[in-house]
Amino acid sequence: MKNIAKNLVHFCTQKPKTVYAILAVLALIFTAQIPRIKIDTDPENMLDAEHPARVFHNEVKTRFAMHDAIVVGVVDSSNENGVFTPNTLTDIYDITESILSIDGVISADLMSISTVDNITQSEPGTIRFEWMMDKAPSTLEESTQIREYLARLPLLQDTLASENGKAAAIYVPIKDKNESYNIAEKIRADIDKLDGGANWYITGLPVAEDQFGFEMFIQMGISAPLAGVTIFILLFFFFRNVPLIIAPMVVAMATVMITMGALIGMGYTVHIMSSMIAIFLMPIAVVDSVHILSEFSDRHKPGADLNETIEEVVGHLFTPMLYTSVTSSVGFYSLMLTPIPPVQIFGAFVGTGILLAFIITITFMPSYLSRMNSASLEKLQLVMHSQQGGSRIASLAKLLGSIALKFKSSLVIGFAIVFAISVWGVTQIQINDNPVRWFKESHEIRVADKVLNENFAGTYDAYVVLKSTHALVPVQELLTSNKPESLNDWAAKQVNELSEQPLSEQYQQLLINIDDKMFSDITDLESEYLNDLLVTAESALSQSKAFQSPELLSYIETLQTYLKDSGLVGKSNSLSDVVKVVNRELRSGDEKDYTLPNSPQAVAQTLLQYQSSHRPDDLWHFVTPDYQQTLIWLQLTSGDNQDMSKVIALVDEFVGQQALPPGIELDWAGKAYLNVVWQDNMVAGMLDSLISAFVIVFIMMVLLFRSFVFGALAMLPLTITITFIYGLIGIIGKNYDMPIAVLSALTLGLSVDFAIHFLERARELYMQTQDVKETFALMFDEPATAITRNALVIAFGFTPLLFAPLVPYITVGIFLASIMAISALVTLLILPAVMSMAKRIVFR
């Protein structure tokens, strides 16, 4: 291995321009792919396209014509009449008309006070559907009347108008959720033209996700360059030599451009995780370069052969750099074991980027150093041996070494106590995520979400889907039994003509055809058969329309009441609510008749009446045309997956107490539910990937050092660091979300890097000195200084994320900087303490 490295480095020092040219060509080719970037912030893509929950969710959306929707809200708390004034209702009317004209909005399904029906009784037995607000009201009395109408309609109250009358909402269904940001911007522009005193808000998961994508794109263009500037300043502080530090910056930039170009060029979209690839790779890519520069500056002496020094330095560092790169990449490659596609892509490309950085480092760095002039090299020597930045880092490293060796017993006991507390903290971790929380509390999306969910039943959706298993048998089977031979041709004709229609429509048409046939010239035997067939078909069709059954609708009503009483669900809407409203108006119009009819025929009559409204297709949002499936729309005031999990548990509890009716199945759909599914998958997948990577890295350490003891020592810093970081997350109550989850991969990869360099150099120095005390004295000179430099470079490299406007980036910045600092401290304190206490085992 070292011979290969030696030959490669020799080639690079002799042919530096060739290396430059190859790197420049690769960088240009891959950078040219970046303009093809496509942003994706849809949480649905956290699940594989073929995942059963996602497939079912999409089937439900299609079957019930449910669309992603932007929620536009208006709140007026200053007026005693709230939003029910002529001015505010006029604004609502005007904004609704503007929204209806926006391309990409599904006009037929838009819900606003001006686009829904008021359902009232014309006279007993007769129902009337009128537009709730066919024009803007001109008086306060008209405005108050609209409020009273809405209050009588449970389907609309707390959905379109708040119970206190202070707020109103417009639900804007859209064709493509990727256009939600553009549509929201057009709505904002129209709102800005209003003169009213009410406050307007826009929220909803689609616009939150799409706006995050827009801001994420901007963040990508800011964070990576800022990280580059930060690293450049740090390296200048360390080496005070601009020509020298250009080399690691070229390594970092080339690594980022080639990796991101490859990702985009291969057709992958940039998700929230892959948007962080550049900021992850930038500091990691310079780690090996810093080791080379540190040792090169320490070894090179004036008058010495430059190329020989370079070959000696790279040859000496090649094995530890290779293993640290491989272990780091294994940490990220382990993310490919998770069932979350964006996390898999992130892990694959960061892991590959780390290996690419290693290759660029061992080829470009020797090429670049070999062409440095003597003046730059002399300046480097002066800086490294002066009382400047380098010596401050060295002094810090020596101080840590002194502490580690003087207080080794106290350190070991102290770290053991911290580790035990951290293990307890891990058990307190709360798994939770919500795309709206990706924004800061002051962000307009977050503010809108808070205000509207305080006033309404909820802007988050989940769907309980009930399905009947009592299916109709094919018409062909119905026509085969006990049929007179004389009706064979007629039966065959029915099968051929009806086969292209939906099954329920086949039955309805068959009933008509049977009736027509019975009035033709037929025999008594044929008449008897057709009569029996008519009864059988009518009975089967009636039974198949399961959700016209009062008993099933009553079960749904009871479930809704149970959910409402829990306080976890703001409101639920179902077919039962539609039936009860129409039934009330068909009878007395009083609340005493806000009940379910007592027969399937009466239910069918109410639904037939409802289809005389201005929005007859709204019925199919709650039930399929064959009445085999129905949907309960839950409105939630929180999009946190913890709260959704409680709702799921609540429904399970209800079903445990009151079993589903025979032949009925229950399932879930909706974005809030999908968030729970992918979070559960992420936790299980991350645990598998962490355990797998831990085992692989441990085996690699044993093989690298050819020692079980040194392998175990190498795993000590990362074990303590991972446990401490996740224990801290549990103790402080920070939610375990996706950015937090992937930190385990970085911790595993980079914590072991410091340990490899420390242990490798310690073993080499002990072989030279055969004295433990002298070994550690030498260790806390250049090797510990290099480790400290690297920790600072990586930690400070992530600090630009602290100034991001998006919460996931801030979270990653804080914890990654903390991880690097803790990893370095654990390596430089606990390893020498343990090694010196167990020196007979370690250095035997």
Side-chain angles (χ1 to χ4, degrees), residues 390-634:
S391 66
R392 292 174 190 165
I393 303 297
S395 299
L396 175 61
K398 288 177 181 177
L399 174 63
L400 291 174
S402 175
I403 293 171
L405 297 174
K406 280 185 179 179
F407 306 101
K408 47 183 177 288
S409 299
S410 300
L411 282 171
V412 170
I413 294 170
F415 274 105
I417 294 171
V418 170
F419 181 79
I421 296 172
S422 299
V423 170
W424 172 80
V426 170
T427 65
Q428 306 302 305
I429 286 178
Q430 299 180 16
I431 301 160
N432 197 29
D433 205 354
N434 179 357
V436 171
R437 293 184 183 273
W438 295 348
F439 299 96
K440 289 183 177 179
E441 287 190 11
S442 58
H443 194 282
E444 59 181 343
I445 292 288
R446 192 88 175 263
V447 171
D449 179 78
K450 181 180 178 182
V451 171
L452 295 185
N453 281 296
E454 285 175 349
N455 282 278
F456 293 100
T459 62
Y460 297 92
D461 301 327
Y463 309 127
V464 177
V465 182
L466 298 172
K467 177 183 179 181
S468 171
T469 57
H470 295 302
L472 291 167
V473 299
V475 167
Q476 185 175 2
E477 291 184 25
L478 196 68
L479 293 169
T480 55
S481 59
N482 303 320
K483 179 171 74 266
E485 290 186 9
S486 57
L487 289 178
N488 283 344
D489 291 341
W490 177 83
K493 182 181 178 182
Q494 303 309 306
V495 173
N496 291 333
E497 290 181 353
L498 301 177
S499 60
E500 298 299 321
Q501 301 177 29
L503 201 52
S504 61
E505 293 181 18
Q506 290 182 32
Y507 270 71
Q508 291 168 357
Q509 186 60 48
L510 178 63
L511 292 174
I512 295 171
N513 293 347
I514 292 172
D515 197 48
D516 290 343
K517 184 66 175 175
M518 290 180 69
F519 280 97
S520 64
D521 187 16
I522 57 175
T523 66
D524 291 342
L525 183 62
E526 291 172 339
S527 177
E528 183 181 350
Y529 168 75
L530 290 172
N531 266 316
D532 290 343
L533 182 62
L534 184 68
V535 171
T536 302
E538 284 180 338
S539 175
L541 186 60
S542 176
Q543 290 181 14
S544 74
K545 294 185 176 181
F547 292 103
Q548 286 187 359
S549 161
E551 291 76 21
L552 290 182
L553 293 179
S554 178
Y555 184 86
I556 292 171
E557 181 185 32
T558 306
L559 171 57
Q560 288 180 263
T561 303
Y562 190 80
L563 293 173
K564 179 67 176 176
D565 292 344
S566 72
L568 292 172
V569 176
K571 180 188 174 185
S572 61
N573 299 296
S574 75
L575 185 63
S576 294
D577 300 309
V578 175
V579 171
K580 287 190 291 184
V581 167
V582 176
N583 184 61
R584 178 187 65 190
E585 303 307 326
L586 282 173
R587 294 188 175 187
S588 65
D590 297 331
E591 284 306 303
K592 65 183 178 65
D593 287 321
Y594 184 68
T595 58
L596 292 168
N598 55 14
S599 70
Q601 292 78 13
V603 171
Q605 178 63 23
T606 62
L607 298 176
L608 187 63
Q609 290 283 343
Y610 185 80
Q611 289 182 282
S612 300
S613 70
H614 292 103
R615 298 170 60 108
D617 289 339
D618 280 1
L619 179 63
W620 312 127
H621 293 318
F622 295 109
V623 68
T624 52
D626 60 3
Y627 294 91
Q628 284 278 296
Q629 297 184 54
T630 191
L631 174 149
I632 307 173
W633 169 26
L634 306 185

Side-chain angles (χ1 to χ4, degrees), residues 730-746:
I731 291 169
I732 66 175
K734 170 68 180 172
N735 287 334
Y736 181 93
D737 53 17
M738 182 177 54
I740 291 289
V742 300
L743 294 182
S744 60
L746 182 80

Side-chain angles (χ1 to χ4, degrees), residues 336-354:
M336 296 176 69
L337 298 175
T338 67
I340 311 296
V343 175
Q344 292 172 342
I345 293 167
F346 172 78
F349 279 91
V350 175
T352 303
I354 291 171

